Amino acid sequence: MKNWKKIVSVAATAALLGASLTGCGGKATSGPSGQAPDKIKIGAVLPLTGKESKVGGYFKAAYELAVKQVNDQGGIMLKDYNKKVPVELTVQDDQTDQTKSVSLFERLATVDKVDAMLGGYPTPGVMAQTVVPEKYHIPYVNGGGASSSIYKRGMKYVFGTLAPVEELATTSMDVLKEQMDAGKLTKPARLVVLWENTDHGKEYLDGIKQWVDKNPGYAQIVMTEGFELYGSDYSSLLTKVKNANGTIFLVDAHLPDYILMHRQYTEMGLKHEMVSYGARGPDKDARDALGKATDYVFAGVWWDKNLPYPQVQQFVKDFESFTESQGKKMTAEWYAAISYEAARALLKAIENAGSVDKQKVRDALANLTMDKSIMPGQVLKFGPEGQAHYPYVVTQNKEGGKTDIVYPKDSKTGDIVAPIPR
């Protein structure tokens, strides 16, 4: 995956060439032609096979649930036609391959001629695929790209429901600071920071560095090193971690790397006062794979099913019931919640626009304020760059498979345990 930036560059070049060849010119539809469409066509490309297939499965189920709920009410009211129109969702599998993802989005735009798009996962894939909706001026919302670099390219049709990675890092450090102030953790902390070699990982590291600079006397970074996404062996890297003699172990990792790295961390007998894998920690797949080894890992996450909002509990019930009806019950995790809200935001924007006119839908997304959202803070809206901003939730795994929200205070379900018991 280390050549993903090159892939993005190639994709962008191909996109520009494609615009001149197809004659689309990136122009949005000008408005209603008089007759209402028989369906609203939405296309999505997800990693349903390959390294990220488990997460892709969550996204697919969440997208399908959001569409089903709208269609159960007769569809979306398009005031341009004074008619409710059902939504048709087309989902393609990119096999966790960025190049294939771009190609499939091109097909959705030029062959399927979708009205709007829902994005994929993970961050490098989102970075690559977003050149397509921007080229064709098709409204696009994703729940899989947290890197701010996605949204700093001046794109107008690209929106995302994941809050910035830097805020994940600084929120995690704020929680550690509270424990240092309480005398529970060594001060100054000796930080070992590992990060995946993507913009996602680099922004996590930047967030840690910025926090350290703004909070003198609380922490020093004694080791920092990047690693390639989807690695096969971290023993050499973890030997360096052991020799660094840190007190806090912080990693930005995707789910497959979290599982492998923490398994090897445990097997090597490494110990730190606190351990975090960024946004990974409470994931059911990791807890099932690693068992007690994941106890007391803390995480900064975009969502947790224990948030004390009625709409969150309704979503958990709806999602788990829906997936069970599809033959495979899935636990509601943040992957599902974020992608569900991405779909709901897009569907709500189409309703607010009252049209499938792409410019109108894009403008409705830019001006969207979705109250009673299931996200932390209960409001979803996009910043001027297209990325959502809201407070992170910090969780900690506890014994017996339990997970508590330990931050913010108004959402806590339990106190943080620090340091990790030995």
Side-chain angles (χ1 to χ4, degrees):
M1 305 300 285
K2 63 184 178 181
N3 293 321
W4 73 271
K5 283 192 173 181
K6 182 177 180 181
I7 292 172
V8 173
S9 177
V10 171
T13 301
L16 292 173
L17 289 173
S20 63
L21 293 173
T22 60
C24 292
K27 293 183 179 179
T29 54
S30 58
S33 60
Q35 184 175 355
D38 60 355
K39 57 192 172 186
I40 299 167
K41 296 190 289 185
I42 295 177
V45 178
L46 296 170
L48 302 180
T49 55
K51 291 284 188 180
E52 297 290 359
S53 60
K54 293 187 179 191
V55 177
Y58 278 106
F59 273 56
K60 181 175 183 289
Y63 287 166
E64 290 174 342
L65 172 61
V67 169
K68 179 181 184 300
Q69 290 174 334
V70 164
N71 285 339
D72 284 349
Q73 300 300 314
I76 297 176
M77 172 59 72
L78 298 183
K79 62 178 180 286
D80 276 1
Y81 307 98
N82 193 31
K83 179 182 178 181
K84 278 192 171 184
V85 179
V87 177
E88 178 185 80
L89 176 66
T90 299
V91 180
Q92 302 286 352
D93 176 19
D94 66 13
Q95 302 172 14
T96 320
D97 182 305
Q98 297 161 33
T99 303
K100 187 179 290 294
S101 183
V102 173
S103 176
L104 290 170
F105 268 109
E106 281 277 350
R107 179 177 176 83
L108 288 173
T110 61
V111 178
D112 298 309
K113 298 188 183 301
V114 297
D115 299 302
M117 293 174 167
L118 289 168
Y121 183 90
T123 288
V126 172
M127 175 70 84
Q129 66 194 213
T130 45
V131 299
V132 178
E134 191 67 18
K135 176 181 72 172
Y136 294 104
H137 289 194
I138 298 174
Y140 164 103
V141 186
N142 81 86
S147 172
S148 297
S149 60
I150 295 169
Y151 309 96
K152 291 179 178 178
R153 297 175 291 167
M155 292 187 168
K156 300 299 183 183
Y157 283 79
V158 174
F159 298 85
T161 54
L162 286 179
V165 179
E166 294 98 326
E167 295 172 21
L168 184 163
T170 56
T171 301
S172 297
M173 289 304 302
D174 286 341
V175 171
L176 293 174
K177 179 178 180 290
E178 288 182 355
Q179 301 309 304
M180 285 185 262
D181 287 340
K184 295 182 179 180
L185 298 176
T186 301
K187 178 185 174 183
R190 293 170 54 83
L191 306 180
V192 174
V193 186
L194 306 183
W195 43 278
E196 63 178 42
N197 190 20
T198 65
D199 279 356
H200 190 291
K202 292 172 185 175
E203 288 169 21
Y204 179 82
L205 175 63
D206 287 344
I208 299 293
K209 287 181 175 179
Q210 292 168 17
W211 190 95
V212 170
D213 290 342
K214 292 179 181 178
N215 294 270
Y218 276 94
Q220 57 181 307
I221 298 175
V222 297
M223 176 188 168
T224 176
E225 188 165 331
F227 58 90
E228 296 304 316
L229 194 63
Y230 311 134
S232 59
D233 183 7
Y234 295 111
S235 56
S236 296
L237 181 59
L238 290 171
T239 297
K240 295 180 184 179
V241 170
K242 183 175 183 178
N243 294 334
N245 195 31
T247 59
I248 305 292
F249 183 52
L250 302 174
V251 187
D252 180 65
H254 276 75
L255 182 59
D257 295 323
Y258 161 40
I259 293 173
L260 175 59
M261 188 179 293
H262 198 59
R263 176 180 286 116
Q264 292 183 318
Y265 175 98
T266 304
E267 290 170 349
M268 293 173 65
L270 273 65
K271 298 183 187 299
H272 292 85
E273 291 182 8
M274 296 296 284
V275 173
S276 177
Y277 286 86
R280 278 78 201 177
D283 313 73
K284 184 178 185 299
D285 288 327
R287 301 208 74 176
D288 288 347
L290 301 174
K292 292 182 178 180
T294 62
D295 289 352
Y296 304 106
V297 170
F298 80 98
V301 295
W302 293 274
W303 182 87
D304 187 86
K305 67 180 181 180
N306 294 311
L307 282 166
Y309 314 145
Q311 63 269 33
V312 167
Q313 300 313 310
Q314 186 62 52
F315 164 70
V316 171
K317 179 180 177 181
D318 290 347
F319 181 79
E320 295 183 355
S321 175
F322 173 72
T323 55
E324 186 174 26
S325 73
Q326 300 299 300
K328 184 180 180 182
K329 184 176 181 179
M330 303 168 74
T331 301
E333 297 193 23
W334 70 258
Y335 307 107
I338 294 291
S339 48
Y340 177 74
E341 288 299 82
R344 287 214 310 143
L346 180 58
L347 297 171
K348 183 63 176 176
I350 294 172
E351 179 186 3
N352 289 351
S355 172
V356 291
D357 179 278
K358 296 177 176 62
Q359 180 68 50
K360 289 182 179 180
V361 175
R362 180 264 164 211
D363 292 345
L365 279 167
N367 294 307
L368 180 70
T369 298
M370 200 160 74
D371 295 320
K372 293 189 177 179
S373 168
I374 65 173
M375 304 311 300
Q378 304 187 74
V379 176
L380 178 65
K381 56 184 177 180
F382 302 105
E385 76 291 346
Q387 187 170 22
H389 294 263
Y390 47 82
Y392 272 86
V393 174
V394 177
T395 65
Q396 187 180 40
N397 295 345
K398 300 290 180 66
E399 294 180 3
K402 182 182 178 183
T403 299
D404 275 326
I405 296 175
V406 297
Y407 180 91
K409 291 181 180 179
D410 63 0
S411 300
K412 284 176 60 174
T413 61
D415 294 324
I416 192 167
V417 176
I420 295 173
R422 301 301 179 195

